[in-house]
Amino acid sequence: CGKYNEVLKGNSTEDKFNLAKEFYETSKENGKRGKMLKALRLLEQIQPSMRGKPQNEIVSYMIANGNYIIGDYIVSGYKFERFLKSFPDTPKKEEAFYKSADSYYKASPKFSLDQTDTFKAIDKLQIYLNTFSDGEYFEEANSHLAELREKLERKDYEIAKQFHHMEFWQPAVHALNNFVDNNPGSNYLEPAYFYKFESQKIYAEKSFKSIMRERLDEATEYYNTYIERYPEGEYLKKANQLYAEMQLLYNELNELEL
Amino acid sequence: QDIGIGNAKEYVIGEISVTGVTTYNERTVIAFTGLRKGEKLFLPGDRLSQVINKLWNLGLFSDINFYLKDVTEGNIAHLELEINEVPKLNEVKIRGIKKKKQEEFIKDLKLDKGTKLTENFIANTKNHIKNEYRKKGYLNVDPKITTQAQKDTLDEVVGENMLINIDLGEKIKVSEIEITGNEDFSDKKIRRFMKNTKQKNFFRIFKRSKLIPADYEEDKERIVNKLKESGYRDARIISDTVIKNEESTVKIGLKVREGNQYYFGDVSFLGNSVYSDRELKNLMGIRKGDPYNGVLLEEKLTGGPKQKEGNLTDTYQDNGYLFSRITPVETRVYQDTIDFEIRITEGPIAYFNNVNVRGNDRTHDHVIYRSLRTLPGEQYSKKAVMNTARELSQLGFFDPESIRPDIKNPNPVDGTVDMEYNVAEQGASQVQLQGGYGGGGFIGTLGLSFNNFSLRGIGDKDAWKPLPMGDGQTLSLRAQASIAFQNYSLTFVEPWLGGKKPVQLSVSLSQTKQFLFDPFTRRADRDRQFSITGLNVGLGKRLRVPDEYFFLSTSVGFQHFDLQNYNVGLFRFPNGYSNNLSFTVGLRRDNTYSNPIFPMGGSRFNINLKFTPPYSLFNDIDYKQLSLEREVALAENNNDRLAEIDQERFNWLEFYKVNFSGEWFNRLFDKLVLRKNIEFGFIGAYNSDRGIPPFERFFLGGDGLAGFAMDGREIIALRGYPNQSIIPRSRTNVTQESFNDGATIYNKFTLDLRYPITLNPSASIYGLAFFEAGSTFDSFEEYSPFDLNRSAGAGIRIFMPQFGLLGIDFGYGFDPIPGTNTGANGWETHFIIGQQF
């Protein structure tokens, strides 16, 4: 790669651009990372001298897209954003818009980690869908959006469920309740309703006799909600069994009061 | 739109010529102005002054003038623009201060080549330097800045050279501080209130007596505050003078007015329903007749700027009253007494609603949420928030400085509040690479420790960056090797097995190989070796009953010893094997507080039981016969037969072992702490004929540092005696088999008096004086717990987080070393590394 080093150290902007373009195109074809990294290095070197010139648009685009191609999504998301800000009338507006959103989508980590990028991706995808209602990437954007929303729901659900798992019954009831309120269309709604009921039941069971009835009543309410919503639910059998156990507790309380 | 001024006339612009000193070409400058040929404008007029303004704002020119050169027919005005470009900086020279300081100024002031040298810039530079030195007490500093054009060989100006000449002058010192107007406070006392402005004094070594204007101003404020704290709430400094004495000293004169001393009067409370007046009064601790102290009052109510504990606000906040407000109101001032009413708005109890964590780019939610002490639906408590922040920092995965609990959406109507914990991941892995010399050659150690490992992530290709992380598990690998010795180990720890409760699972695997080393040829004989392969699985759990200080641990360990033509001194057979399968149950209680390095109170108890299966009960081997045969073989010196018998005895090790220790810390006064410690250990055999194996025994004496040993020996410190020297007194070295000298019973008693020199987290230092005594025994028949080897002495400990605990002790042994009768053992010096007495 003697030519690359020569051009890199040289002073000719034109040579640099031409070589970068060559590398960029080959890498775009065969997806080789090394070539693209070289192209990016050249482009970043010449970009400052392009400021104010029309060529800056193509250089900025190539830098953003290059990072996107090699999978450096954190950089490409940001670079596409900058590109759109600098060249609001670019013909590549839709593509840049989508790829910026898609970069954040691809950078969005597993549900159990910090979701800052997910929120950003959701915002961007939503704006894309609103702006380009018959855009080229409409379907992808839509399915990405659904996936990310599902991810956030899963995060909320797993956190609430963890309180149940750790046997913190009252916090579990509270957190699952919040989950149900905040995610009315979620896939996790059924288990959330069930675990809310189970947590409340155990919470009541472990209470002092003097307040047990009140808490059992609340559990009964949760049970009713569950069977109403999911009369053939996955957890129905378990729910009925817990409900039967509650009746025994009620009997005990009634006897005590007599 | 141009507007003419006065009796202006309208012109059409003709030619514009540019004169003056500039490096820009004429067309660029005209483009800057925005004036076009043929444009109409008034002269004099608004348009032209706007252009001048615009040029000024570029900051490139120091002089801008328009001239009307000529007016030709049709009112065509030919203009001349005279501009002088601001000179650029070429080179800076600073004289009169040190090189390092020069570079600092050049960096701070951005004195780079090409900087535009405006008047303003030069003035700023001068002021900056002046202020910097005034801060250090050089009140007479006088920087002089001169500039000079630098020309190149073609006589063109390339820029200005700047010369900064700094004459520091003398540091100004304070010869005397004269206080006048004070009645109740002595001059000396008031001078002591001044923290950074001091009189010159021969004995003052650490504190400067320089006069620094900013500090001086602060100190004046400090005097007033100090007086106010003592009840003189009208205190003022009426006047102050600084008089120049001779060359470099000044005399300060301060005139103060103390005013009257005020006292607290009645303190009443209004609006409190949760706490009674009496409870609040006790908490405040301010009594009628105490000198009035505004700072104290604030501290008692809100904690003040230093967030002192035990204030009223915290009391409310720790019990859910997030929305409470406490305001003191002066209700009456009569003569020198002030009555107060503390008005309290309690508000509703707040409950946590949503609890979120942000910034965990690596650590999974479940690892963090299990450490939270603020759960949804629970009552708000400031203490719980602080505890959560502490727990999170103790995980070691996050930068402790950047853990920030934020209160979000406080809603007094619903009585709810959201919590958000912001964290920033930090590196949790350690690499240890080490080379050393010892044991007859070079020893290399490579240790890798991943403290936030994720076992689940191993199957997930995306998680390898570079290693699966984020589940809070620990994986450590260690390899150590030299010519004659190799050791490999792998340890895995899951602190929350199953994720329900903090049940710790640890699994470790290790392999050690020792080759016979010939010190003369410096070669290891690989055919003659001794190896130990071990596996240990342990479970540990914090208990809730009887109280939360209990910790129960259990473990199963297996070790396989393999000898190939190698006599280690433990066995009578050079070829053979031995297995050690043992179970350990330990119960610990530790409620020491509050600094783990230097506990001021509480106690620690530890009871440990380790045992192997009682093989001799069911394996139908007549060990009595065997022991008789062994005596015969010993008498006949029949080594082959001895080896055979010992292999039979030690194929599976059989023993049980009990350890107990108790430790108490008592704070005597101030920070003087008394530590009392008792220890006891016993190892026994199920079958007395099979005997206690030569493993796991107790070795008492010396610094207690565990060196390398293959036999699982327990090394116990006893200062004032050489290492491992306290053998049972009943032994007379002649008749005992000398290869096995570990004891089967030991006890030890210690009294320590400790006093901390500093408890700074970056380096804690404390001194100690000790008295201790201990002894070892071979059997219960000989056991006499008060037949002790006594010692006393003193030492010092330094704890630094990077190095652990280091220390040195000097101990005097009052008794002779067992087995000798030369009288008291005398002084011994012990170096202590990484362990606590």
Side-chain angles (χ1 to χ4, degrees):
Chain A
C1 242
K3 192 180 166 198
Y4 167 71
N5 280 326
E6 208 174 282
V7 173
L8 189 73
K9 287 196 186 103
N11 280 324
S12 163
T13 310
E14 198 183 334
D15 286 354
K16 285 182 186 177
F17 179 75
N18 288 337
L19 189 68
K21 191 161 171 131
E22 186 192 319
F23 283 159
Y24 175 84
E25 293 299 338
T26 13
S27 172
K28 208 172 142 187
E29 291 296 313
N30 63 16
K32 286 233 171 88
R33 203 183 149 80
K35 275 262 157 74
M36 188 60 87
L37 287 174
K38 279 178 184 164
L40 285 171
R41 208 165 151 207
L42 286 166
L43 289 168
E44 269 154 21
Q45 214 180 46
I46 60 174
Q47 197 185 27
S49 62
M50 295 283 173
R51 197 158 293 152
K53 291 184 184 162
Q55 293 96 314
N56 195 11
E57 182 174 338
I58 181 73
V59 170
S60 299
Y61 170 80
M62 281 164 75
I63 289 176
N65 203 36
N67 279 301
Y68 180 78
I69 288 168
I70 56 170
D72 204 339
Y73 296 116
I74 292 168
V75 179
S76 70
Y78 170 73
K79 293 269 175 183
F80 271 120
E81 230 173 285
R82 284 275 303 269
F83 173 73
L84 281 166
K85 245 182 217 154
S86 311
F87 312 100
D89 302 319
T90 173
K92 295 195 181 290
K93 190 171 175 181
E94 190 198 332
E95 183 190 337
F97 230 111
Y98 173 73
K99 283 188 174 169
S100 158
D102 192 48
S103 298
Y104 286 115
Y105 160 75
K106 289 192 165 120
S108 154
K110 209 178 158 187
F111 75 90
S112 52
L113 298 174
D114 184 60
Q115 296 297 309
T116 308
D117 284 329
T118 311
F119 286 113
K120 241 186 218 163
I122 287 180
D123 282 352
K124 299 241 156 219
L125 287 167
Q126 193 61 62
I127 294 171
Y128 173 82
L129 289 171
N130 296 348
T131 322
F132 305 95
S133 47
D134 44 18
E136 196 184 330
Y137 306 99
F138 192 82
E139 262 167 46
E140 284 105 310
N142 235 339
S143 81
H144 286 349
L145 195 60
E147 195 184 315
L148 293 177
R149 290 207 169 121
E150 146 94 25
K151 188 190 278 190
L152 290 180
E153 279 168 14
R154 167 123 197 248
K155 186 187 184 72
D156 275 7
Y157 170 72
E158 295 283 353
I159 288 168
K161 175 73 176 42
Q162 188 183 353
F163 296 126
H164 172 273
H165 183 68
M166 291 177 72
E167 302 179 352
F168 293 143
W169 305 117
Q170 195 214 348
V173 172
H174 194 97
L176 286 163
N177 213 9
N178 278 354
F179 173 78
V180 168
D181 286 351
N182 297 336
N183 302 280
S186 165
N187 293 339
Y188 301 98
L189 223 46
E190 191 198 334
Y193 272 114
F194 171 73
Y195 286 121
K196 186 173 119 181
F197 161 56
E198 189 183 18
S199 305
Q200 178 66 30
K201 184 242 167 193
I202 301 174
Y203 179 50
E205 200 174 68
K206 291 183 181 293
S207 305
F208 287 112
K209 291 272 188 290
S210 56
I211 41 175
M212 192 185 278
R213 182 181 291 279
E214 194 186 319
R215 289 178 181 173
L216 281 174
D217 288 348
E218 210 160 313
T220 309
E221 201 183 300
Y222 295 162
Y223 167 76
N224 289 334
T225 319
Y226 177 77
I227 53 163
E228 245 167 62
R229 281 175 166 261
Y230 307 99
E232 281 159 52
E234 198 185 322
Y235 301 89
L236 189 67
K237 214 174 132 189
K238 186 84 198 286
N240 284 332
Q241 187 195 327
L242 292 172
Y243 186 66
E245 283 168 26
M246 276 167 54
Q247 300 317 308
L248 296 178
L249 288 172
Y250 270 124
N251 290 343
E252 238 176 79
L253 284 178
N254 291 339
E255 270 171 41
L256 269 176
E257 278 160 29
L258 279 177
Chain B
Q1 188 61 42
D2 193 20
I3 300 157
I5 300 170
N7 50 355
K9 272 169 79 183
E10 197 176 27
Y11 294 91
V12 177
I13 298 177
E15 300 294 328
I16 304 172
S17 57
V18 179
T19 58
V21 184
T22 170
T23 51
Y24 298 97
N25 72 31
E26 206 171 315
R27 286 174 64 187
T28 317
V29 176
I30 294 171
F32 272 142
T33 64
L35 294 171
R36 273 175 294 111
K37 195 176 171 180
E39 188 183 331
K40 287 180 181 169
L41 85 170
F42 285 101
L43 285 178
D46 193 32
R47 174 80 173 119
L48 219 51
S49 46
Q50 276 173 9
V51 170
I52 293 173
N53 261 339
K54 190 174 158 191
L55 291 174
W56 259 120
N57 289 340
L58 289 172
L60 299 172
F61 309 108
S62 62
D63 197 10
I64 305 162
N65 294 303
F66 271 105
Y67 300 109
L68 183 60
K69 244 170 85 181
D70 196 11
V71 182
T72 52
E73 202 159 321
N75 266 351
I76 295 174
H78 301 282
L79 299 174
E80 180 187 330
L81 169 60
E82 186 199 31
I83 51 171
N84 281 308
E85 206 177 322
V86 173
K88 282 182 195 164
L89 179 62
N90 186 51
E91 210 181 26
V92 189
K93 274 211 183 95
I94 305 180
R95 292 217 188 111
I97 53 172
K98 281 184 185 154
K99 183 103 186 156
K100 204 172 162 197
K101 199 67 207 167
Q102 292 180 16
E103 282 163 7
E104 220 177 285
F105 276 131
I106 291 174
K107 209 178 138 204
D108 287 354
L109 290 162
K110 301 202 175 68
L111 297 171
D112 305 321
K113 195 173 179 169
T115 309
K116 302 263 181 275
L117 280 184
T118 58
E119 290 293 319
N120 187 24
F121 181 78
I122 293 173
N124 276 344
T125 305
K126 199 170 169 171
N127 283 337
H128 178 89
I129 294 172
K130 216 171 177 171
N131 287 337
E132 280 293 298
Y133 281 103
R134 282 175 70 95
K135 267 189 224 162
K136 294 191 176 126
Y138 295 97
L139 294 188
N140 294 332
V141 67
D142 184 20
K144 287 203 175 64
I145 299 182
T146 49
T147 57
Q148 194 179 30
Q150 168 77 35
K151 289 178 179 169
D152 67 2
T153 45
L154 296 171
D155 217 28
E156 297 248 326
V157 175
V158 289
E160 300 263 324
N161 285 346
M162 190 172 172
L163 178 69
I164 308 176
N165 222 330
I166 302 174
D167 180 13
L168 286 180
E170 297 257 2
K171 261 188 201 180
I172 301 295
K173 297 204 170 177
V174 180
S175 66
E176 198 191 335
I177 303 174
E178 194 188 49
I179 317 267
T180 51
N182 49 325
E183 288 164 11
D184 296 356
F185 288 82
S186 68
D187 291 2
K188 209 171 164 188
K189 202 155 191 183
I190 291 180
R191 273 188 217 118
R192 210 177 299 140
F193 291 155
M194 302 179 82
K195 205 170 150 197
N196 292 319
T197 312
K198 300 282 183 190
Q199 284 187 156
K200 231 167 134 175
N201 185 332
F202 179 74
F203 295 104
R204 186 175 353 268
I205 302 162
F206 300 112
K207 269 281 178 197
R208 53 211 173 154
S209 56
K210 286 178 289 186
L211 178 65
I212 295 153
D215 288 346
Y216 175 55
E217 290 303 320
E218 261 179 43
D219 279 342
K220 282 198 287 184
E221 226 167 274
R222 213 168 263 135
I223 292 175
V224 175
N225 285 340
K226 283 282 183 187
L227 291 174
K228 282 185 176 170
E229 278 176 31
S230 310
Y232 295 85
R233 61 177 207 148
D234 297 335
R236 301 272 181 284
I237 289 181
I238 306 172
S239 67
D240 71 306
T241 50
V242 179
I243 302 161
K244 197 168 168 184
N245 281 345
E246 322 129 31
E247 265 308 287
S248 62
T249 62
V250 291
K251 181 179 154 190
I252 293 177
L254 285 176
K255 192 166 182 194
V256 298
R257 181 189 289 151
E258 291 163 346
N260 289 332
Q261 190 176 18
Y262 288 82
Y263 300 92
F264 282 110
D266 289 316
V267 178
S268 57
F269 296 91
L270 189 75
N272 50 318
S273 66
V274 192
Y275 297 100
S276 67
D277 286 8
R278 210 190 148 117
E279 282 171 309
L280 293 175
K281 215 166 227 168
N282 277 340
L283 209 63
M284 286 231 330
I286 290 177
R287 257 179 281 269
K288 188 174 178 173
D290 286 353
Y292 173 82
N293 181 345
V295 178
L296 181 74
L297 182 69
E298 198 191 328
E299 271 171 10
K300 290 293 179 188
L301 293 182
T302 64
K306 284 180 194 157
Q307 280 302 306
K308 288 257 172 76
E309 281 176 27
N311 59 66
L312 256 55
T313 306
D314 275 1
T315 309
Y316 271 101
Q317 294 259 323
D318 287 346
N319 288 291
Y321 292 92
L322 171 65
F323 305 109
S324 61
R325 294 281 169 275
I326 299 173
T327 17
V329 178
E330 287 181 18
T331 45
R332 202 156 80 100
V333 183
Y334 49 103
Q335 285 152 16
D336 56 356
T337 308
I338 306 167
D339 284 353
F340 275 95
E341 187 172 82
I342 313 290
R343 296 191 182 156
I344 299 171
T345 322
E346 290 177 339
I349 291 186
Y351 292 87
F352 293 114
N353 189 24
N354 291 309
V355 180
N356 296 317
V357 176
R358 291 218 186 290
N360 53 324
D361 297 328
R362 208 188 301 143
T363 308
H364 292 295
D365 283 344
H366 69 99
V367 175
I368 303 169
Y369 278 86
R370 69 196 183 194
S371 307
L372 298 188
R373 297 287 172 272
T374 58
L375 303 179
E378 285 187 347
Q379 193 173 304
Y380 171 83
S381 151
K382 189 175 168 189
K383 204 185 258 166
V385 173
M386 301 321 278
N387 281 345
T388 304
R390 205 192 59 226
E391 292 271 339
L392 289 180
S393 80
Q394 274 174 357
L395 285 176
F397 308 147
F398 307 114
D399 173 16
E401 300 300 313
S402 62
I403 293 174
R404 195 160 39 87
D406 282 343
I407 287 177
K408 296 257 158 137
N409 314 322
N411 185 340
V413 181
D414 300 349
T416 59
V417 59
D418 290 348
M419 278 307 301
E420 187 172 289
Y421 293 95
N422 290 283
V423 297
E425 304 267 359
Q426 71 173 8
S429 300
Q430 280 153 3
V431 178
Q432 180 199 11
L433 189 62
Q434 188 169 73
Y437 196 82
F442 178 80
I443 304 174
T445 307
L446 173 66
L448 295 172
S449 169
F450 307 102
N451 290 331
N452 193 1
F453 186 69
S454 167
L455 192 64
R456 284 186 313 175
I458 277 184
D460 181 1
K461 170 165 74 55
D462 293 337
W464 286 82
K465 42 183 173 177
L467 230 87
M469 302 289 271
D471 274 341
Q473 298 156 343
T474 306
L475 179 74
S476 33
L477 303 162
R478 199 178 138 89
Q480 193 172 39
S482 72
I483 303 176
F485 167 77
Q486 289 169 2
N487 171 270
Y488 308 95
S489 66
L490 180 151
T491 309
F492 172 79
V493 179
E494 161 63 74
W496 283 67
L497 187 65
K500 222 178 195 87
K501 295 273 126 70
V503 176
Q504 179 178 305
L505 169 77
S506 61
V507 179
S508 63
L509 269 166
S510 72
Q511 162 112 58
T512 307
K513 272 200 167 101
Q514 172 84 53
F515 305 106
L516 192 74
F517 183 69
D518 185 335
F520 297 108
T521 62
R522 313 193 61 78
R523 289 238 175 92
D525 186 350
R526 304 242 154 195
D527 294 330
R528 302 181 66 181
Q529 60 157 315
F530 174 46
S531 75
I532 310 175
T533 311
L535 168 70
N536 197 77
V537 179
L539 273 179
K541 190 184 171 190
R542 186 168 286 282
L543 301 183
R544 288 188 178 174
V545 186
D547 67 35
E548 56 187 303
Y549 300 117
F550 277 91
F551 192 86
L552 177 72
S553 60
T554 53
S555 69
V556 185
F558 175 74
Q559 279 178 301
H560 176 75
F561 303 83
D562 188 36
L563 293 106
Q564 287 171 26
N565 198 13
Y566 191 116
N567 209 330
V568 271
L570 291 173
F571 306 105
R572 275 289 170 122
F573 47 91
N575 273 304
Y577 71 94
S578 176
N579 293 314
N580 183 0
L581 172 68
S582 62
F583 304 90
T584 308
V585 184
L587 187 64
R588 192 175 80 213
R589 183 179 190 275
D590 184 345
N591 70 342
T592 55
Y593 55 89
S594 52
N595 181 346
I597 312 301
F598 191 84
M600 298 259 196
S603 60
R604 265 185 215 134
F605 293 96
N606 204 351
I607 183 156
N608 234 31
L609 174 65
K610 186 170 182 178
F611 59 96
T612 65
Y615 306 103
S616 56
L617 290 183
F618 45 78
N619 67 358
D620 289 334
I621 292 173
D622 186 354
Y623 287 106
K624 195 166 183 85
Q625 179 62 30
L626 219 55
S627 83
L628 288 173
E629 277 177 40
R630 191 169 189 276
E631 262 165 49
V632 175
L634 209 58
E636 287 173 356
N637 231 345
N638 184 349
N639 278 331
D640 289 347
R641 181 62 193 144
L642 264 177
E644 236 174 71
I645 295 170
D646 272 8
Q647 170 70 76
E648 184 76 50
R649 280 172 71 205
F650 298 135
N651 54 359
W652 285 87
L653 296 182
E654 187 180 308
F655 65 91
Y656 63 90
K657 181 167 150 184
V658 184
N659 278 67
F660 169 80
S661 70
E663 207 177 3
W664 293 263
F665 295 90
N666 296 92
R667 189 169 172 168
L668 298 180
F669 63 86
D670 190 22
K671 286 178 177 168
L672 185 69
V673 171
L674 175 68
R675 169 180 171 269
K676 290 170 277 183
N677 180 52
I678 62 166
E679 277 177 51
F680 169 81
F682 167 64
I683 177 165
Y686 299 113
N687 182 322
S688 58
D689 292 319
R690 193 175 185 186
I692 303 167
F695 283 80
E696 309 259 351
R697 292 195 175 202
F698 305 110
F699 292 78
L700 185 67
D703 53 26
L705 294 185
F708 172 71
M710 296 232 169
D711 54 4
R713 62 175 59 182
E714 237 176 90
I715 294 164
I716 299 120
L718 186 70
R719 288 163 286 185
Y721 295 93
N723 286 350
Q724 306 181 19
S725 63
I726 309 298
I727 57 168
R729 288 191 179 181
S730 60
R731 279 189 205 170
T732 45
N733 282 337
V734 200
T735 56
Q736 287 286 335
E737 292 181 47
S738 60
F739 66 81
N740 163 24
D741 57 5
T744 57
I745 303 175
Y746 90 95
N747 58 13
K748 181 184 155 186
F749 309 93
T750 309
L751 281 176
D752 264 359
L753 267 178
R754 311 161 147 208
Y755 193 80
I757 297 162
T758 165
L759 291 178
N760 193 325
S762 60
S764 309
I765 305 175
Y766 64 88
L768 59 89
F770 66 86
F771 174 77
E772 65 185 0
S775 52
T776 61
F777 308 94
D778 273 330
S779 69
F780 268 114
E781 285 95 83
E782 297 162 9
Y783 184 59
S784 105
F786 299 107
D787 210 357
L788 296 162
N789 300 280
R790 295 155 302 167
S791 68
I796 194 161
R797 296 284 180 283
I798 302 176
F799 178 86
M800 284 178 285
Q802 308 93 305
F803 300 108
L805 190 81
L806 303 172
I808 184 166
D809 277 345
F810 304 97
Y812 185 86
F814 294 110
D815 295 292
I817 298 170
T820 66
N821 42 19
T822 49
N825 179 50
W827 288 100
E828 295 274 344
T829 306
H830 307 285
F831 293 96
I832 285 96
I833 304 169
Q835 136 213 48
Q836 298 208 24
F837 279 95

